[in-house]
Amino acid sequence: NAGVTQTPKFRVLKTGQSMTLLCAQDMNHEYMYWYRQDPGMGLRLIHYSVGEGTTAKGEVPDGYNVSRLKKQNFLLGLESAAPSQTSVYFCASSALTASYEQYFGPGTRLTVT
Amino acid sequence: GNSVTQMEGPVTLSEEAFLTINCTYTATGYPSLFWYVQYPGEGLQLLLKATKADDKGSNKGFEATYRKETTSFHLEKGSVQVSDSAVYFCALSEDKTGGFKTIFGAGTRLFVKA
């Protein structure tokens, strides 16, 4: 099992450019999440999905869009990147269990100049 | 709303010292509680968990007890190693508020010196 994988690992964008981050999980988990991690701010939830074809906004959704066309994949899109979106992005997934422990990918470090 | 508060870091200890990282929470019901660890350059991984009051989670020499009366879930280890240097996150999830939405603390960075 690869667990949760993220592509790419690093990316540098210019302001206004667009990109898509891909997250894949092979654990047949129902729930998937996108977080951003900034120094001193812990993890903040951007968007999440409770199943294939469904998505919902988290704590900081502005400037991002997501799609979950297949159960194993969760895409995060930036339509017009801004320097404020410079961050480390983590994808996670969890099963439909009572404790909801999450499994994280290795992260994508994004710099917007 | 639900929240998690953990002690600010960084925490710097010598090898074989005793570790405590404090965590308190606010929740409306009966959450599950977690400690996640993040090693440099990696994603978070679950260290231990407890799903009901008085449960003790343990893993790799780390322990934490779910204390409902004090709404706390403090992380402890009797003898830390250099390899324990990482950032530790306390977290909770609760069915009542869409349990899959985990609330994370801000993280506590631990440095262990040889």
Side-chain angles (χ1 to χ4, degrees):
Chain A
N1 277 357
V4 180
T5 58
Q6 293 183 232
T7 310
K9 288 186 168 46
F10 303 93
R11 186 72 186 267
V12 178
L13 288 179
K14 294 188 188 304
T15 297
Q17 288 185 318
S18 64
M19 78 163 294
T20 300
L21 282 67
L22 172 63
C23 175
Q25 53 96 3
D26 61 3
M27 297 173 282
N28 202 35
H29 284 170
E30 291 295 327
Y31 302 140
M32 296 188 75
Y33 318 81
W34 276 107
Y35 295 93
R36 59 178 289 172
Q37 184 179 35
D38 302 293
M41 301 191 73
L43 287 168
R44 292 185 290 171
L45 183 64
I46 304 171
H47 285 281
Y48 63 96
S49 168
V50 301
E52 183 178 320
T54 70
T55 63
K57 295 180 180 180
E59 183 185 350
V60 288
D62 293 342
Y64 305 94
N65 57 75
V66 288
S67 64
R68 183 121 179 249
L69 298 179
K70 293 182 179 180
K71 185 177 184 179
Q72 64 268 34
N73 295 339
F74 195 30
L75 278 61
L76 178 71
L78 286 72
E79 290 185 348
S80 179
S84 61
Q85 294 177 304
T86 293
S87 188
V88 180
Y89 292 86
F90 288 100
C91 176
S93 68
S94 64
L96 237 170
T97 62
S99 60
Y100 301 107
E101 58 194 79
Q102 296 190 9
Y103 295 78
F104 284 80
T108 295
R109 185 174 294 275
L110 174 66
T111 302
V112 183
T113 61
Chain B
N2 294 354
S3 66
V4 174
T5 302
Q6 58 183 110
M7 61 189 289
E8 286 191 29
V11 174
T12 303
L13 295 173
S14 297
E15 208 165 23
E16 299 184 3
F18 185 85
L19 168 71
T20 299
I21 300 178
N22 291 337
C23 172
T24 56
Y25 67 91
T26 302
T28 53
Y30 303 94
S32 294
L33 301 175
F34 309 88
W35 277 101
Y36 286 85
V37 59
Q38 184 180 30
Y39 298 105
E42 298 183 9
L44 280 70
Q45 55 186 273
L46 181 68
L47 179 60
L48 54 84
K49 68 178 181 182
T51 57
K52 60 183 187 297
D54 300 325
D55 267 2
K56 178 186 283 189
S58 61
N59 186 25
K60 300 181 181 179
F62 291 89
E63 292 183 340
T65 301
Y66 190 141
R67 301 282 188 205
K68 188 161 177 61
E69 63 276 13
T70 54
T71 61
S72 64
F73 193 55
H74 305 320
L75 182 68
E76 296 182 337
K77 187 175 186 183
S79 176
V80 294
Q81 306 299 313
V82 172
S83 57
D84 293 327
S85 297
V87 181
Y88 293 82
F89 293 89
C90 186
L92 70 81
S93 68
E94 187 178 20
D95 268 332
K96 192 174 177 180
T97 55
F100 46 85
K101 283 192 282 182
T102 300
I103 308 295
F104 290 88
T108 302
R109 185 176 295 276
L110 170 66
F111 292 105
V112 181
K113 302 180 297 184

